[in-house]
Amino acid sequence: MKSIKNFILLFSFLMLILFFYAFDTKNILSKFNSLSYLLRIIDNYYVEDVALDEIMDGAIHGLLEELDPHSAYFPAEDFKMMQESLVGEFEGIGIEFAILDGYITVISPIPDTPSDKAGLIGGDKIVKINGESAYKIKQDEVFQKLRGPKNSTVQVTISRSGLEKPFDVVLKRDKIPIHSIAAAFKYEKDLGYIKINRFAQNTYDEFKLALDSLKTFGIKNVILDLRNNGGGLMDQAIQIVDLFINSNDTILFTKGRQDDANNVFYAKKSFHDNNMPILVLINRSSASASEIVAGAFQDLDRGLVIGETSFGKGLVQKQFPLDDGSAARITIAKYYTPSGRLIQRDFSGGIDEYYLNLGVKNREATDSLKNTLPTFKTKSGRTVYGGGGITPDIYQSLQITNFTEDSQLLFSNPNRIIFKYAHHLKPNIKVINFETFLSLINANEIKEIAKGLINLDDFIDWTFEQYDDLDISGDNISKDWDYIQNRILADIANSLWGKNAYYNVLLLGDFQFKAAIDNIEIAKSLLNN
């Protein structure tokens, strides 16, 4: 009953405000009266006890969904976790994990964290926490039990492949950074590769550190991978672009109803600006801040954009904390690239159509479709396209979407079969360093890596031995073996040499990345325009 009283008091206050400011106060007041009356009916007459807090959360969600796809409400617990992901740190033990076969399975320890220092490795299973079984633990319970204040301790019992008995490890919790840079390494000769997976509070600092480090290895070209990056903080994207713009050009501008929502963000010309060709990889899951970066590089003729048309999120949200610890994120403006393109896709057909539209095949590839889009001019006069999202300069699909149904079942299996098979092979790895490992792959001498075990027949036999109820056909799996083998090798590399090695192997079968390499000369030519 308390929740209803609080709700009625809240809306009574809103009514007072609307009395002074709203044009259609009478109609709005009638709606609020109906809603408060409906809540009383539910509380008094519904057949079962009702969790009114959850009902109100749902009502607020529905209210904001009527505005646009990106205005949103976050209950207190969700808001807390979201803030941690943007601030860039939390306190805990530092593992990436998945729940496999009912147990917390370490995917990889985060470098320089308690788990890493204690020697936890990918494939380890946490079978007990503080002496209590962790079997069939839920994900939210993992956070509750493994996270905690800095310097507090937690005992985990580890089951490790190759050891007969589990062993205990006492971990002292510490601040755990959530890194934005998934990988940064010299790929070949003078080519650097940097993958950003989010734009959080420290992304610019991480990126600059990674770029400066790569420059010491003599890189003269860089591929910036923004695929599957859903965005984040706008200011971080602007700062990263500004590292490469040797002028005072506009990077981004915003337009809204309120004066303070109308802003122009300029580059700051500096002696330290980087003068190297850039190639930006995007796909349909590159959104928001990722589109700011790709759009600015494209419009200012500073980088070549390759891949698929991006998501199309061009709305600026402002966060409004609420008294109960929850928060509302409300759209206050739209943002535009330097040439004047609105990035936001049309959402008048509703949220379902808005998201399902991403699955339309080759929506950016055909000339006939481009003829329907509004056109804009880059700084040097090249034609670029509006209409929602960033249309790449060079379209390249992933070319891995036509998997057999059995392969799809394999990839989506919650037991992470490929990951487990890679760790099954780990004791058989003969190579002593990543350079040798990579050279054997490139020379197609994969049989030399793990005593000849990395092959289709062994993988099929092992899979059915472990999961005899798995309804897949070896013949169907064989059609996608090149892709599967690449993932196996990448997981092996990750477990032995870390994330940079993991992504380095993945790139060997990446058609969009290869398209970037093939077009480095075009990216270089943009610098001379």
Side-chain angles (χ1 to χ4, degrees):
M1 194 67 187
K2 182 180 178 183
S3 294
I4 286 187
K5 288 179 179 177
N6 289 341
F7 172 77
I8 294 172
L9 286 172
L10 171 64
F11 277 103
S12 296
F13 175 68
L14 289 173
M15 288 301 94
L16 183 63
I17 295 174
L18 288 167
F19 179 79
F20 290 104
Y21 293 104
F23 291 103
D24 194 11
T25 307
K26 183 177 179 181
N27 185 49
I28 295 176
L29 181 59
S30 174
K31 295 287 186 184
F32 282 146
N33 285 339
S34 296
L35 182 57
S36 62
Y37 179 56
L38 179 59
L39 283 171
R40 288 194 187 95
I41 292 173
I42 292 171
D43 189 48
N44 291 326
Y45 295 105
Y46 189 71
V47 66
E48 296 175 354
D49 289 337
V50 174
L52 288 172
D53 284 345
E54 293 180 9
I55 287 180
M56 289 312 306
D57 283 349
I60 298 171
H61 276 298
L63 171 70
L64 296 183
E65 282 180 2
E66 286 297 311
L67 298 177
D68 63 73
H70 302 295
S71 290
Y73 169 72
F74 301 95
E77 193 61 33
D78 292 349
F79 181 56
K80 180 182 177 183
M81 293 183 68
M82 182 189 71
Q83 288 296 94
E84 286 179 347
S85 72
L86 289 177
V87 169
E89 66 178 29
F90 61 91
E91 293 177 346
I93 67 170
I95 57 170
E96 295 180 22
F97 72 92
I99 298 177
L100 305 178
D101 298 329
Y103 288 107
I104 305 165
T105 302
V106 178
I107 304 304
S108 62
I110 298 172
D112 202 31
T113 64
S115 294
D116 184 39
K117 294 173 182 177
L120 267 61
I121 60 175
D124 282 350
K125 291 185 177 181
I126 299 177
V127 296
K128 291 183 180 179
I129 301 174
N130 289 330
E132 296 183 359
S133 173
Y135 182 55
K136 291 194 174 179
I137 191 171
K138 296 180 180 178
Q139 185 148 317
D140 58 343
E141 294 175 319
V142 176
F143 294 132
Q144 292 170 13
K145 293 187 176 186
L146 295 185
R147 290 187 181 184
K150 181 179 179 179
N151 294 326
S152 63
T153 59
V154 59
Q155 177 181 288
V156 294
T157 303
I158 301 297
S159 174
R160 179 172 293 172
S161 177
L163 298 182
E164 291 185 7
K165 295 182 180 180
F167 59 93
D168 294 333
V169 178
V170 176
L171 301 169
K172 182 181 285 189
R173 298 181 179 98
D174 202 349
K175 287 190 177 295
I176 309 300
I178 304 176
H179 294 295
S180 300
I181 305 300
F185 53 86
K186 180 179 178 179
Y187 184 76
E188 61 180 17
K189 297 179 182 177
D190 57 2
L191 176 63
Y193 171 85
I194 302 178
K195 181 173 180 62
I196 305 178
N197 59 16
R198 80 183 80 209
F199 289 89
Q201 189 170 317
N202 299 319
T203 301
Y204 167 77
D205 292 334
E206 287 184 44
F207 178 83
K208 190 173 186 306
L209 186 65
L211 183 66
D212 289 344
S213 175
L214 289 178
K215 285 160 67 176
T216 66
F217 291 96
I219 70 157
K220 297 179 181 178
N221 312 278
V222 64
I223 293 177
L224 178 57
D225 193 345
L226 299 179
R227 292 174 296 180
N228 300 317
N229 182 328
L233 301 178
M234 183 174 72
D235 66 306
Q236 299 294 299
I238 292 170
Q239 288 182 71
I240 286 174
V241 172
D242 198 12
L243 281 173
F244 298 89
I245 308 300
N246 189 27
S247 67
N248 298 117
D249 282 305
T250 297
I251 293 176
L252 178 79
F253 63 94
T254 64
K255 292 181 181 180
R257 290 173 59 200
Q258 303 296 324
D259 288 343
D260 61 358
N262 296 286
N263 294 291
V264 182
F265 301 90
Y266 297 100
K268 299 179 180 68
K269 187 174 182 178
S270 167
F271 175 77
H272 299 290
D273 289 328
N274 293 276
N275 187 33
M276 65 174 68
I278 303 170
L279 300 103
V280 183
L281 297 178
I282 60 172
N283 65 6
R284 297 179 188 187
S285 295
S286 304
S288 189
S290 293
E291 295 172 297
I292 290 173
V293 173
F297 280 141
Q298 190 177 55
D299 282 5
L300 298 176
D301 297 299
R302 188 57 190 82
L304 194 69
V305 180
I306 294 171
E308 304 166 319
T309 295
S310 61
F311 184 93
K313 180 187 180 295
L315 302 178
V316 182
Q317 281 80 44
K318 183 176 181 180
Q319 205 155 268
F320 296 88
L322 305 178
D323 289 343
D324 64 351
S326 62
R329 187 177 285 177
I330 308 296
T331 296
I332 62 167
K334 299 176 181 179
Y335 64 72
Y336 299 79
T337 68
S339 68
R341 288 183 290 169
L342 173 63
I343 297 173
Q344 181 60 47
R345 265 188 305 127
D346 177 56
F347 53 84
S348 60
I351 290 180
D352 288 346
E353 182 179 322
Y354 179 67
Y355 286 103
L356 289 173
N357 176 260
L358 290 174
V360 176
K361 287 189 176 181
N362 295 349
R363 63 188 176 107
E364 62 277 86
T366 62
D367 290 335
S368 60
L369 180 57
K370 286 182 177 180
N371 289 336
T372 68
L373 300 175
T375 59
F376 298 81
K377 295 295 183 181
T378 68
K379 185 177 179 180
S380 68
R382 293 188 304 140
T383 298
V384 289
Y385 298 92
I390 301 300
T391 302
D393 297 306
I394 297 172
Y395 170 75
Q396 175 62 59
S397 71
L398 281 174
Q399 295 189 5
I400 56 170
T401 56
N402 296 319
F403 294 125
T404 66
E405 186 175 338
D406 286 2
S407 293
Q408 293 282 12
L409 288 173
L410 179 71
F411 302 146
S412 61
N413 190 287
N415 291 303
R416 296 192 63 173
I417 293 170
I418 292 175
F419 170 82
K420 286 187 174 181
Y421 179 69
H423 284 270
H424 156 72
L425 294 176
K426 190 175 173 181
N428 298 295
I429 303 301
K430 298 195 297 181
V431 295
I432 60 173
N433 58 56
F434 179 64
E435 289 70 23
T436 302
F437 182 84
L438 197 61
S439 66
L440 288 171
I441 296 174
N442 286 324
N444 201 26
E445 294 291 341
I446 294 171
K447 63 182 179 181
E448 300 297 324
I449 292 175
K451 301 177 181 178
L453 294 177
I454 307 177
N455 61 72
L456 176 63
D457 290 338
D458 183 72
F459 175 72
I460 295 296
D461 290 344
W462 179 89
T463 299
F464 284 122
E465 180 181 321
Q466 300 293 316
Y467 306 99
D468 56 6
D469 59 342
L470 195 62
D471 187 20
I472 59 174
S473 159
D475 289 339
N476 288 335
I477 295 296
S478 68
K479 297 174 183 176
D480 299 313
W481 174 242
D482 287 346
Y483 179 86
I484 295 168
Q485 181 176 252
N486 176 261
R487 264 49 191 175
I488 293 168
L489 293 166
D491 275 331
I492 291 172
N494 184 40
S495 67
L496 292 172
W497 300 290
K499 288 293 184 185
N500 279 349
Y502 172 77
Y503 281 102
N504 205 321
V505 174
L506 287 183
L507 294 177
L508 297 175
D510 189 328
F511 289 94
Q512 291 174 337
F513 178 77
K514 289 178 179 178
I517 291 178
D518 290 342
N519 288 282
I520 287 176
E521 292 304 316
I522 297 178
K524 289 180 179 179
S525 70
L526 292 175
L527 288 174
N528 301 320
N529 287 341

